[in-house]
Every structure is written in structure tokens, then in C-alpha cells.
């Protein structure tokens, strides 16, 4: 029995790493379907594979990091011939999510994203800080190998960094939400959910493709969804809006029409970034406040029960282990 368990553990790790590699590759291919040209390099505005990598490491553990490396290597091999400098890009794309996972664990990050603190550390440590590694490694190797002129380093670096960070901001919360959700779902607001879905399907395409530049219309919708359905609703709306805005930007239609390549990149990334931050942080604040109110209500109920028993001359009721647990 012991030998069987010892053999089973490496097999599970290998299967998990292969699954991570497959998911990473699929997410990267989806991201590469829409590209922007910045100076003399082609970049993706949203790189969802970085979000998949961070979520996989947080959920499964750091031992699946080879899956990220294999997924990156297979992706590069499917695009261009593999050369020695590719190993630096693979190392950067692997080290960035590993550092993100370590930083988040160090900061006491919770997978449920139930506190404002969790949203802040995911933004500033998991996305903005850790993704500096992949951007510097990737663009630095392009310049060192002569594939990118040195004067183009910073514009391409900025686009690379923001694309990786956007993948973490949008994709990682969704995957963590799917992991922490508990079935069966209680659909007490299904009518409102249907109404919001219809409004979203009508408003978001209009805002992202209209020549009147009505991107601001997304924010009231995002706030409404965050207030009523918290992280699940707000991040789904943010994902849909980011995808449609990226399609409009790469097609040069709607609010991105008649803009230069740099202007398109700046406007798109500023919109996607501010929208993802609004959705993530607002839903985290609302969830934290609801949990705090629930804790206060439970404490008041327990206090009332204790006072009732003391008034009647009875000993107070014992607290359950769940009540003593700090959530």
C-alpha cells in the first residue's frame, strides 16, 4: 500500500503538470488571436496564459511549474523555430507566475478573494510586480538577439508587461472563483441576472464599437453587477468587455478608429486596466463588508442567546467549533 501511494504521487504531479501545460497553451493561443503592432514587434493586449499560470500555481501548488514551462515552449515552437534564446523567454514566463504565487502566499492571500486586501495584493504583487520579470526577460532577449532595435525597448516592454498583467487581473480571479464556488448554486436573483445579461449583451457591444466613444457606459453596469452579484458577475462582465474592446481595437473600429498604433494600445490598455481594477476591488470591498455584517449579526445573536440563558438562571449554551473558527 505504501509503495502504491509513493508511485501514485509522482504520477499525479506529472498529470497535473501536463494539464497545466495544455491549459496554458490553449489560453495563449486564444490571446494570440488578437494582436497589436507596437513599433516593430507584435504583442497581445491580453495574455490570458499568465492568468492561467498564476491560478494553477495557487490552486495546485508550486510543483506544477514545469507545466508552465512546457506550455510556453510548445507555444513558441508552434509560432517560430526554437532557438537557444527561446530558453530565456521560457524561463521568464515561468519565473513570473512562480514569483507571483510566492508573493501572494507571503502576503496571506486568500483564494476566495473575500477581502479588499486580497484584491490589492493580487493587483500590485501578483500582476503589476511579478509580471515585470516576464516583460524584462522577453523584450530584453529580443534586443540582445538583434530581433528588436534598442530604441524600441520601452514601448514594446510596456505593451508586453501590461498584456501579462491584464491576463492576471482578468483570468486569475475567474479561475479562483470557479475553484471556490460551492454547488448547488442558490439562484435567488435569477430574474435580475437574466435582465443584467440582456442589458450587458446589448450595451457592451454598443459601447465598444460605437464611433461616439461611449466606453464610459460600461462603468455604471459594472458597478450594478458588482453590487448585486459581486466577483462572479463583475469579472464576467469585465472579461466580456475586455474581449470586445480588444476586437474593436485590433479591427480599428468604434472608439479606436483613426488612432495611431501607439494611441490604440494606450487607450485599450488604459480602459481594460481601469475596468478590471474597478470590478476586482469593488467586488472585494462589497464581499468584505457583507462578511463583516454577517459576523456582527452572528455575534449579536449569540450574545442575545447568552443573555437569555443567564436571565433564566441557566448556563450559556456551548459554542460550536465552527463559531470558534476565525474565518
Amino acid at each position: 500500500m505504501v509503495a502504491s501511494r509513493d508511485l501514485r504521487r509522482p504520477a499525479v504531479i506529472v498529470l497535473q503538470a501536463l494539464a497545466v501545460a495544455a491549459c496554458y497553451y490553449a489560453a495563449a493561443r486564444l490571446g494570440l488571436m488578437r494582436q497589436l503592432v507596437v513599433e516593430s514587434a507584435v504583442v497581445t493586449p491580453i495574455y490570458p496564459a499568465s492568468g492561467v499560470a498564476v491560478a494553477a500555481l495557487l490552486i495546485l501548488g508550486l510543483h506544477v511549474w514545469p507545466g508552465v514551462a512546457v506550455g510556453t515552449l510548445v507555444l513558441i515552437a508552434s509560432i517560430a523555430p526554437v532557438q537557444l534564446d527561446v530558453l530565456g523567454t521560457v524561463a521568464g514566463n515561468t519565473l513570473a507566475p512562480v514569483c507571483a504565487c510566492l508573493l501572494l502566499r507571503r502576503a496571506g492571500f486568500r483564494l476566495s478573494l473575500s477581502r479588499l486586501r486580497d484584491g490589492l495584493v493580487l493587483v500590485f504583487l501578483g500582476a503589476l510586480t511579478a509580471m515585470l520579470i516576464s516583460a524584462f526577460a522577453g523584450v530584453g532577449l529580443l534586443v540582445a538577439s538583434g530581433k528588436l532595435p534598442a530604441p524600441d525597448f520601452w514601448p514594446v516592454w510596456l505593451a508586453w508587461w501590461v498584456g501579462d498583467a491584464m491576463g492576471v487581473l482578468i483570468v486569475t480571479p475567474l479561475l479562483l472563483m470557479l475553484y471556490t464556488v460551492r454547488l448547488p448554486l442558490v439562484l435567488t436573483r435569477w430574474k435580475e441576472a437574466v435582465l443584467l445579461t440582456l442589458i450587458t449583451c446589448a450595451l457592451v457591444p454598443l459601447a465598444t464599437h460605437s464611433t461616439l466613444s461611449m466606453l464610459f457606459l460600461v462603468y455604471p453596469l459594472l458597478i450594478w453587477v458588482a453590487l448585486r452579484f459581486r466577483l462572479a458577475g463583475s469579472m464576467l462582465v469585465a472579461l466580456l468587455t475586455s474581449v470586445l474592446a480588444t476586437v474593436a481595437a485590433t479591427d480599428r473600429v468604434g472608439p479606436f478608429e483613426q488612432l495611431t498604433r501607439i494611441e490604440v494600445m494606450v487607450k485599450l490598455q488604459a480602459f481594460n486596466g481601469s475596468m478590471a481594477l474597478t470590478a476586482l476591488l469593488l467586488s472585494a470591498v462589497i464581499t468584505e463588508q457583507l462578511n463583516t455584517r454577517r459576523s456582527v449579526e452572528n455575534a449579536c445573536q449569540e450574545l442575545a442567546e447568552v443573555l437569555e440563558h443567564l436571565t433564566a438562571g441557566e448556563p450559556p449554551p456551548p459554542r460550536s467549533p465552527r463559531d470558534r473558527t476565525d474565518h
Side-chain angles (χ1 to χ4, degrees):
M1 179 65 70
V2 175
S4 176
R5 289 180 179 176
D6 291 341
L7 293 174
R8 191 182 309 165
R9 177 63 178 171
V12 171
I13 293 176
V14 171
L15 290 176
Q16 289 178 340
L18 291 176
V20 170
C23 293
Y24 185 97
Y25 174 79
R29 296 299 299 184
L30 287 175
L32 292 175
M33 292 177 64
R34 290 289 172 170
Q35 301 173 342
L36 290 175
V37 178
V38 179
E39 299 300 340
S40 56
V42 178
V43 296
T44 175
I46 302 175
Y47 191 60
S50 60
V52 171
V54 173
L57 293 173
L58 288 172
I59 295 172
L60 299 176
L62 290 174
H63 60 269
V64 299
W65 69 263
V68 179
V70 172
T72 305
L73 184 60
V74 173
L75 173 69
I76 296 175
S78 67
I79 299 174
V82 177
Q83 299 177 356
L84 187 60
D85 59 350
V86 167
L87 297 179
T89 303
V90 173
N93 282 15
T94 304
L95 187 59
V98 169
C99 289
C101 182
L102 291 174
L103 289 172
L104 291 175
R105 287 183 177 180
R106 181 79 174 178
F109 177 76
R110 294 181 183 176
L111 300 183
S112 60
L113 284 165
S114 57
R115 305 171 300 173
L116 176 61
R117 172 189 176 91
D118 301 324
L120 290 175
V121 297
L122 180 61
V123 171
F124 291 102
L125 297 182
L128 300 183
T129 300
M131 295 303 117
L132 291 171
I133 299 173
S134 57
F136 273 116
V139 183
L141 286 171
L142 290 177
V143 174
S145 61
K147 298 177 181 179
L148 181 71
D152 296 341
F153 175 86
W154 288 112
V156 177
W157 173 87
L158 179 61
W160 189 310
W161 173 57
V162 174
D164 284 357
M166 285 302 305
V168 176
L169 290 179
I170 293 179
V171 177
T172 299
L174 281 174
L175 295 179
L176 295 181
M177 178 195 67
L178 292 176
Y179 174 72
T180 56
V181 71
R182 295 294 179 263
L183 298 176
L185 298 176
V186 181
L187 301 178
T188 56
R189 300 174 180 170
W190 66 271
K191 294 182 179 179
E192 185 178 5
V194 171
L195 176 61
L196 277 172
T197 301
L198 295 176
I199 295 176
T200 301
C201 292
L203 181 61
V204 173
L206 175 65
T208 55
H209 286 74
S210 174
T211 56
L212 299 178
S213 188
M214 296 190 296
L215 292 174
F216 63 90
L217 292 178
V218 175
Y219 289 96
L221 175 64
L222 200 62
I223 295 172
W224 181 11
V225 176
L227 288 172
R228 302 299 290 170
F229 297 97
R230 288 177 279 178
L231 185 66
S234 62
M235 294 312 301
L236 286 174
V237 172
L239 176 62
L240 175 63
T241 306
S242 297
V243 170
L244 293 183
T246 302
V247 171
T250 52
D251 290 342
R252 299 291 188 89
V253 297
F256 304 96
E257 190 177 3
Q258 297 179 351
L259 297 179
T260 65
R261 292 174 178 177
I262 295 297
E263 290 172 342
V264 168
M265 189 269 292
V266 171
K267 186 171 185 176
L268 174 64
Q269 301 294 37
F271 172 70
N272 283 342
S274 60
M275 183 186 54
L277 286 174
T278 301
L280 179 60
L281 298 183
L282 180 59
S283 59
V285 169
I286 295 170
T287 301
E288 185 176 34
Q289 289 181 344
L290 290 176
N291 290 337
T292 301
R293 188 179 71 176
R294 190 178 297 113
S295 298
V296 172
E297 291 175 350
N298 291 336
C300 292
Q301 183 178 359
E302 291 177 5
L303 180 60
E305 293 177 356
V306 170
L307 291 176
E308 182 179 352
H309 283 76
L310 292 178
T311 303
E314 301 175 356
R319 296 180 61 189
S320 63
R322 182 179 180 182
D323 294 333
R324 290 193 296 267
T325 302
D326 184 14
H327 296 287

